[in-house]
Amino acid sequence: MSQTPDDSAVQPSELKGETEHEELEELDVFGCSVEPSVVIEARSNVIATILPPNLEVAAQIRKLQNRETELRLRIDELLDEITALEAITGTENQGAIGSIISGCSSNAQASSSAPQVEENEICWEEFKAPEWCIPIKANVLTFDWDELARECQFDVILMDPPWQLATHAPTRGVAIAYQQLPDVCIEELPIAKLQQNGFLFIWVINNKYAKAFEMMKKWGYTYVDDITWVKQTVNRRMAKGHGFYLQHAKETCLVGKKGDDPPGTRYSISSDVIFSERRGQSQKPEELYEMIEELVPDGKYLEIFGRKNNLRDYWVTIGNEL
């Protein structure tokens, strides 16, 4: 039985003509002067053309791949910090968090092989706090910073964070009397609420310079200066300490500024280098406090992560070991 051709059916010759027409349209769009190889998929009529390599696109791809690698490394670091925080907050002993902030690692104290730190030489039974200091013994992670910010806006904030060291055993035989705090905990402190205008002084260790600058920017500060403390012995010799490649004989304090200068600020004072005797563990030189008080006379001063050996008249000091 003969079949009547269906007018709606597409003849092969017509399909070929349409395909060639579409192919020419695609070539016009891409603006190619030479004929590329074309792959035609019948159902979707998608035409893929082989074009010369685009160097700019390739460079962008490599840049994105490098960025992906950086982000993956950062994610791994954050996961490690989250694991450490979960281990801390999961314990029933609330004092465990405070021990990370400032202090007294039971393992370090119990180890008979670990050398004694210099702070053990201080006789705390005879210690007497300055008459006009304002010590606040508190866990900085749970302290009510909002209430403090409502009561007072400070001209100067000084911090000596218990930075997390680069390796598990970077001190080469030097006992550390405190555990360290992950970076994420330090940068979440509401420093921005405590100061509208003024200076931030923050002590930093070698592997935390970049992180300290990131924190300054996050809190709204601009880096303006730094101070170097060259440590000395009782004989006024350079006191070389621990270090991986070089023996460290100095510490650095970064200075940031937010807003306007506090009222009464003085300029071109003192020097950015302090030569001072090394004393107790984490005890910073008195010359820095004197420098701050000369920079902003009669100001409102706050120290965070403070210890007994740094209490000072007319300063508010907050820490876990006061």
Side-chain angles (χ1 to χ4, degrees):
M1 180 181 295
S2 62
Q3 295 182 353
T4 303
D6 188 357
D7 295 338
S8 62
V10 179
Q11 300 300 320
S13 60
E14 295 177 355
L15 176 61
K16 180 178 180 181
E18 291 178 359
T19 303
E20 292 176 349
H21 178 68
E22 292 174 359
E23 182 176 335
L24 292 175
E25 289 181 350
E26 291 295 322
L27 289 175
D28 290 341
V29 171
F30 285 103
C32 295
S33 58
V34 296
E35 181 180 1
S37 60
V38 180
V39 178
I40 302 176
E41 296 182 8
R43 294 184 179 180
S44 59
N45 292 328
V46 175
I47 301 176
T49 59
I50 302 176
L51 297 176
N54 190 320
L55 299 180
E56 182 178 356
V57 173
Q60 293 177 352
I61 292 175
R62 286 195 298 269
K63 184 177 180 181
L64 290 174
Q65 290 173 339
N66 293 336
R67 180 57 178 164
E68 180 186 9
T69 301
E70 294 176 358
L71 290 175
R72 288 184 181 277
L73 292 174
R74 179 56 179 159
I75 289 172
D76 291 340
E77 293 177 358
L78 291 175
L79 289 175
D80 290 341
E81 293 180 357
I82 290 172
T83 301
L85 288 175
E86 288 177 345
I88 295 168
T89 56
T91 180
E92 296 180 358
N93 183 8
Q94 188 66 22
I97 300 179
S99 66
I100 282 189
I101 299 170
S102 57
C104 294
S105 171
S106 59
N107 293 334
Q109 293 176 350
S111 176
S112 58
S113 59
Q116 296 296 314
V117 295
E118 295 177 39
E119 194 173 16
N120 291 340
E121 300 175 2
I122 299 175
C123 182
W124 293 114
E125 294 180 357
E126 300 178 1
F127 176 80
K128 184 178 181 181
E131 182 177 2
W132 301 107
C133 70
I134 307 175
I136 302 177
K137 181 179 175 64
N139 182 344
V140 299
L141 296 181
T142 58
F143 182 71
D144 190 351
W145 296 105
D146 290 335
E147 182 178 356
L148 179 62
R150 287 192 296 267
E151 294 295 330
C152 182
Q153 289 289 296
F154 294 92
D155 299 314
V156 178
I157 298 176
L158 171 62
M159 297 176 60
D160 184 16
W163 296 105
Q164 195 167 46
L165 302 177
T167 62
H168 295 293
T171 56
R172 294 182 178 267
V174 179
I176 297 297
Y178 55 86
Q179 294 177 354
Q180 298 107 42
L181 193 64
D183 295 344
V184 65
C185 294
I186 300 173
E187 64 185 346
E188 289 302 319
L189 292 176
I191 304 300
K193 297 181 179 180
L194 302 171
Q195 191 176 62
Q196 295 297 324
N197 303 286
F199 297 97
L200 172 67
F201 291 73
I202 179 168
W203 289 99
V204 62
I205 59 178
N206 281 9
N207 69 318
K208 294 299 181 181
Y209 276 89
K211 175 55 67 175
F213 284 122
E214 289 179 10
M215 292 180 181
M216 275 190 177
K217 184 177 181 180
K218 177 179 179 178
W219 295 331
Y221 291 85
T222 301
Y223 166 77
V224 294
D225 221 325
D226 62 78
I227 300 166
T228 299
W229 170 30
V230 180
K231 301 178 182 181
Q232 296 180 318
T233 66
V234 293
N235 297 322
R236 311 301 291 177
R237 297 178 180 271
M238 186 177 294
K240 298 179 181 179
H242 59 275
F244 192 82
Y245 293 107
L246 303 175
Q247 295 182 5
H248 300 163
K250 66 176 179 63
E251 290 191 37
T252 301
C253 183
L254 303 179
V255 184
K257 188 174 82 75
K258 178 182 178 183
D260 300 325
D261 293 339
T265 299
R266 297 177 179 175
Y267 305 96
S268 190
I269 62 153
S270 189
S271 169
D272 61 355
V273 179
I274 297 173
F275 294 90
S276 179
E277 180 182 338
R278 181 182 60 186
R279 291 168 291 179
Q281 178 76 20
S282 296
Q283 186 173 2
K284 297 303 185 282
E286 292 185 4
E287 288 84 349
L288 177 67
Y289 298 88
E290 295 171 355
M291 186 184 300
I292 291 174
E293 292 168 358
E294 183 181 1
L295 176 67
V296 185
D298 302 321
K300 298 175 181 178
Y301 314 114
L302 169 66
E303 181 173 10
I304 304 175
F305 301 109
R307 292 169 175 247
K308 290 180 180 179
N309 50 22
N310 287 125
L311 290 175
R312 191 169 179 85
D313 281 330
Y314 312 113
W315 281 71
V316 177
T317 306
I318 301 177
N320 189 62
E321 290 190 355
L322 300 178

